[in-house]
Amino acid sequence: MSMQRHWSALDEAQLVSLAGAFAGIIDSGGVIHLEGDLGAGKTTFARALLRVLGVGERIKSPTYSLIESYEAAAMRIHHLDLYRIADPDELEWLGLGDLAEGSSLLLVEWPKRGQGALPAADLVLQLSHAGEARDLDALACTPRAIDWLARLPA
């Protein structure tokens, strides 16, 4: 069972607004994979989502640290950027299975680089260049994420 949604030609403000809409419906944690080429908007989306969820501190890109963790919206949030990972075995020391437990939210940029070591995605967001804008395709893979997409405004 899955569900898909598509948004076309989003400018940065619209992408940030859409991330805010997602933040309004994610209330129980989960795993979100953010896919797309360099500059497609993964980090922009993640930062906007984190900000609307209530992260008040500076939101750093986890490109070099691999993971940044926050407390907000009554949940623990872990933002991972796996761009620099050459082999999924490098992730063993992060304890990824523990990170996704309970009401934690796990946002993963470049998830294919951690394939096999990452928890399965509830939601896969594929961002792609559309000229100066971005397209976003959302694939809900679990009942939790199907509920998220169903609750988003049309």
Side-chain angles (χ1 to χ4, degrees), residues 70-151:
Y70 307 95
E71 293 280 344
M75 68 180 117
R76 188 98 173 118
I77 305 167
H78 307 286
H79 181 197
L80 286 79
D81 183 333
L82 305 183
Y83 181 73
R84 297 177 54 238
I85 295 295
D87 186 303
D89 291 339
E90 295 177 43
L91 300 175
E92 187 177 321
W93 62 272
L94 286 178
L96 295 175
D98 297 336
L99 294 179
E101 289 182 352
S103 64
S104 291
L105 176 63
L106 194 60
L107 301 173
V108 185
E109 296 185 45
W110 301 98
K112 288 189 170 126
R113 295 182 185 230
Q115 203 161 14
L118 289 173
D122 290 299
L123 181 67
V124 176
L125 299 177
Q126 175 69 48
L127 290 127
S128 54
H129 295 275
E132 293 295 314
R134 303 289 180 266
D135 288 346
L136 188 143
D137 288 290
L139 173 63
C141 305
T142 63
R144 172 193 330 222
I146 289 170
D147 178 59
W148 292 342
L149 289 186
R151 291 179 10 204

Side-chain angles (χ1 to χ4, degrees), residues 7 28 34-35 63 79 91 95 97 111 126 129 143:
W7 293 267
S28 61
L34 296 157
E35 299 180 348
T63 301
H79 181 197
L91 300 175
Q126 175 69 48
H129 295 275

